[in-house]
């Protein structure tokens, strides 16, 4: 629903407005630029509801030409991620051209209705299925991301969109990293996909070898499940099983994926323990550096690129760095 609003009696130019919330009796300034209820959006899939923040309505025809989907961390604070990305996009004067979406992968206690899909505190970031609904259905968090991309690729709704950045920080980075294995050649229908993995500690290995402390690669004998999803491509999730091991491996290695890691992201608090996680080091900076070494040794010619951000620790301020903003400018 689009309209025009003239405030006062002497204004010459009308302000374009849209109903972002979907309630046809409520007009909201266009685009919606804060994480209020006016910017909440949702759609139904398989009998359940998926909620997210959005600067434009997901079912409204729009002249925007790009989109950025920003995935929250383990605290699931989608509102804060939406506000931060809106601030960055607005600082580049792109808010009328770039759609910002922040998905909300909730747990049981965060349900606003019984129809909302929900996960436990970690399963959403691995693309696992949601808990079962009353109708007996479930939905993978990856499947819901696919649904967002399907809307954005619909030329009847968004005729000009070509580039979509999918980015996540921390646990959201893990989601984006794993999700990149589900797409081929950075494409989805009519969309060019850009994957940005920011301050990640979890890494998918497309083969059964791991980097050891001496820098050598070898199969692991003393760590059960180390090569299972999401650490490797065995015992795949239901969604990934449909992709298949070989296709997922080829997708992952064919895609261009950009990694950003803070130079000071060296704290060990919040680092997940377990032999399947510990091959790459004790902190996120070490893990990113060693994972790059693993990929270059095991899969030379890969398209995974790593950038270190000076004087930055484990914080979403990474998104405000001049290096990351230059990265955005290269896409949009």
């Amino acid at each position: 629903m689009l309209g025009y609003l003239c405030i006062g009696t002497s204004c010459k130019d009308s302000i374009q407005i849209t109903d972002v919330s979907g309630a046809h009796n409520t007009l909201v300034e266009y685009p919606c630029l804060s994480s209020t209820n006016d910017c909440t959006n949702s759609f139904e899939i398989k009998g359940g509801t998926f909620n997210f923040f959005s600067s434009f309505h997901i079912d409204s025809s729009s002249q925007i030409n790009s989109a950025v989907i920003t995935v929250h961390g383990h605290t699931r604070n989608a509102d804060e991620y939406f506000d931060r990305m809106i601030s960055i996009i607005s600082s580049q004067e792109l808010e009328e051209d770039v759609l910002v979406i922040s998905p909300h992968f909730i747990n049981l206690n965060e349900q606003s209705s019984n129809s909302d899909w929900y996960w436990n505190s970690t399963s959403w970031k691995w693309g696992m299925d949601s808990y079962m609904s009353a109708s007996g259905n479930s939905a993978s968090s990856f499947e819901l991301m696919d649904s967002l991309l399907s809307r954005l690729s619909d030329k009847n709704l968004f005729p000009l969109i070509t580039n979509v950045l999918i980015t996540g920080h921390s646990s959201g980075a893990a989601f984006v990293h794993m999700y990149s294995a589900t797409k081929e050649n950075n494409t989805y229908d009519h969309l060019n996909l850009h994957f940005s993995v920011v301050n990640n500690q979890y890494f998918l290995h497309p083969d059964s070898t791991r980097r050891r402390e001496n820098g050598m690669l070898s199969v692991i004998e003393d760590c059960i499940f180390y090569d299972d999803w999401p650490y490797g491509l065995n015992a795949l999730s239901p969604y990934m099983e449909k992709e298949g091991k070989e296709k997922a491996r080829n997708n992952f290695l064919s895609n261009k994926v950009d990694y950003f890691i803070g130079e000071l992201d060296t704290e060990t608090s919040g680092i997940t323990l377990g032999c399947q996680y510990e091959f790459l080091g004790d902190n996120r900076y070490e893990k990113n550096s060693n994972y790059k070494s693993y990929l270059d040794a095991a899969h030379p010619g890969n398209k995974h690129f790593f950038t270190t951000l000076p004087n930055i620790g484990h914080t979403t301020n990474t998104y405000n760095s001049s290096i990351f903003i230059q990265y955005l400018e290269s896409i949009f």
Side-chain angles (χ1 to χ4, degrees):
M1 176 181 177
L2 297 176
Y4 292 90
L5 178 65
C6 189
I7 302 175
T9 57
S10 59
C11 58
K12 297 180 180 178
D13 299 321
S14 58
I15 301 172
Q16 194 174 20
I17 54 179
T18 186
D19 177 12
V20 178
S21 68
H24 295 301
N25 58 350
T26 304
L27 294 177
V28 180
E29 275 196 42
Y30 174 123
C32 192
L33 300 177
S34 66
S35 60
T36 63
N37 288 338
D38 292 334
C39 289
T40 58
N41 212 305
S42 66
F43 59 74
E44 290 191 3
I45 176 173
K46 298 173 67 175
T49 304
F50 180 44
N51 300 300
F52 51 94
F53 292 94
S54 178
S55 60
F56 293 82
H57 196 282
I58 200 69
D59 288 326
S60 293
S61 180
S62 173
Q63 298 304 300
I64 58 176
N65 56 47
S66 305
V68 53
I69 302 174
T70 177
V71 184
H72 58 69
H74 77 281
T75 56
R76 300 176 302 282
N77 50 338
D79 54 344
E80 295 179 16
Y81 277 75
F82 180 76
D83 287 339
R84 181 173 291 276
M85 191 57 66
I86 284 289
S87 175
I88 294 169
I89 292 298
S90 297
S91 72
Q92 303 304 301
E93 299 183 347
L94 294 172
E95 67 273 16
E96 294 185 0
D97 302 310
V98 178
L99 165 64
V100 176
I101 296 174
S102 184
H104 195 193
F105 298 107
I106 64 172
N107 63 25
L108 175 60
N109 295 328
E110 294 165 330
Q111 276 190 304
S112 58
S113 74
N114 291 334
S115 66
D116 291 342
W117 294 121
Y118 70 97
W119 294 260
N120 67 27
S121 60
T122 61
S123 59
W124 61 270
K125 64 187 173 188
W126 309 135
M128 305 302 285
D129 284 354
S130 65
Y131 284 100
M132 195 170 292
S133 68
S135 62
N137 291 326
S138 60
S140 163
S141 54
F142 286 175
E143 187 176 8
L144 299 185
M145 181 63 75
D146 287 346
S147 295
L148 280 176
L149 294 178
S150 292
R151 302 291 180 98
L152 299 182
S153 68
D154 187 337
K155 294 304 179 183
N156 292 318
L157 300 176
F158 299 100
L160 301 182
I161 289 185
T162 55
N163 289 296
V164 176
L165 169 63
I166 306 174
T167 184
H169 171 266
S170 198
S171 288
F175 177 98
V176 175
H177 173 71
M178 306 300 171
Y179 185 70
S180 71
T182 72
K183 302 296 173 281
E184 183 178 5
N185 296 324
N186 292 93
T187 59
Y188 184 91
D189 205 354
H190 303 291
L191 303 177
N192 300 321
L193 301 183
H194 306 262
F195 299 104
S196 168
V197 178
V198 179
N199 294 334
N200 186 30
Q201 67 162 305
Y202 307 104
F203 293 94
L204 172 65
H205 289 72
D207 63 54
S208 59
T209 65
R210 296 294 184 271
R211 184 187 186 279
R212 308 310 292 261
E213 288 186 5
N214 61 6
M216 300 297 291
L217 302 180
S218 66
V219 174
I220 305 302
E221 303 291 346
D222 56 353
C223 183
I224 300 174
F225 310 129
Y226 85 96
D227 205 28
D228 290 352
W229 181 263
Y231 333 111
L233 291 174
N234 290 328
L236 294 170
S237 68
Y239 178 100
M240 294 304 300
E241 189 65 43
K242 294 177 183 178
E243 293 290 316
K245 181 176 181 177
E246 288 306 311
K247 184 178 179 182
R249 180 181 183 275
N250 292 336
N251 289 344
F252 186 72
L253 293 174
S254 72
N255 278 333
K256 180 178 183 291
V257 182
D258 295 293
Y259 299 78
F260 296 87
I261 180 64
E263 176 187 33
L264 304 181
D265 198 346
T266 57
E267 294 293 327
T268 56
S269 60
I271 296 297
T272 303
L273 301 178
C275 61
Q276 66 269 40
Y277 298 107
E278 295 170 0
F279 302 110
L280 294 173
D282 297 327
N283 60 63
R284 293 178 182 87
Y285 181 82
E286 285 184 3
K287 289 175 184 290
N288 277 261
S289 177
N290 289 333
Y291 185 67
K292 172 177 169 51
S293 296
Y294 155 79
L295 280 179
D296 290 345
H299 305 283
N302 69 81
K303 300 178 181 179
H304 294 235
F305 300 96
F306 291 74
T307 300
T308 298
L309 303 178
N311 302 314
I312 291 180
H314 191 67
T315 170
T316 54
N317 288 336
T318 303
Y319 285 126
N320 295 90
S321 68
S322 60
I323 292 175
F324 192 84
I325 289 176
Q326 288 173 8
Y327 171 71
L328 289 178
E329 291 173 345
S330 72
I331 298 172
F332 304 135

